[in-house]
Amino acid sequence: NLLSSGTSFVVVTRNLLNYFMRLHMTKARLERGESLQAASGKLRPPLFWKHKDAFEAQVSAWSMLQLEQALMILNTAEFKCKQTGADPSLLLSRALES
C-alpha cells in the first residue's frame, strides 16, 4: 500500500480529497442540468482519457450526499492525524471503510 511504501499520509489523503472534490464538482454541475460529458469536460486539469469512463461511472454511482460525507470523513481523518498523532494507516483505513 502507499503508506507502507513511504508515501506520506497527508499526500495520500490530499490526493483522495482532490479526487472526491472533482467528483463533487462534476456531480453539482450535473444537478444544475449539464450533461455528464460537459460537466466532466470542465475539470481542470482535464481528466486523463484512460480514466474518463471510470470517473464518469463514479460520478453517476455516488449521490451528492455520499460525496459530501466522503469529503467530511477524509477531512476529519487528516485533521485527526495532524492534531492527535494517531496512526495514519489506521485513520486512513477507517476513513476508507466508512
Side-chain angles (χ1 to χ4, degrees):
N1 87 27
L2 287 172
L3 293 176
S4 65
S5 71
T7 305
S8 121
F9 170 81
V10 173
V11 169
V12 172
T13 306
R14 292 262 168 92
N15 281 326
L16 283 168
L17 281 165
N18 240 358
Y19 189 80
F20 275 88
M21 285 296 297
R22 290 165 63 85
L23 289 170
H24 186 269
M25 286 186 292
T26 305
K27 188 70 162 188
R29 289 178 178 135
L30 276 177
E31 290 188 353
R32 287 193 304 265
E34 293 185 34
S35 72
L36 183 55
Q37 292 73 29
S40 64
K42 290 182 178 177
L43 291 170
R44 295 294 173 259
L47 292 170
F48 181 56
W49 66 272
K50 280 183 146 180
H51 302 151
K52 188 174 190 256
D53 290 342
F55 180 89
E56 290 179 347
Q58 290 164 350
V59 169
S60 297
W62 288 70
S63 72
M64 185 62 91
L65 179 61
Q66 289 172 317
L67 290 169
E68 289 167 357
Q69 288 172 337
L71 288 166
M72 186 173 51
I73 288 166
L74 290 167
N75 275 316
T76 301
E78 181 182 10
F79 175 79
K80 284 182 180 177
C81 181
K82 289 178 178 178
Q83 297 301 314
T84 66
D87 178 19
S89 58
L90 180 61
L91 287 172
L92 188 56
S93 293
R94 286 182 181 162
L96 295 175
E97 289 173 1
S98 298

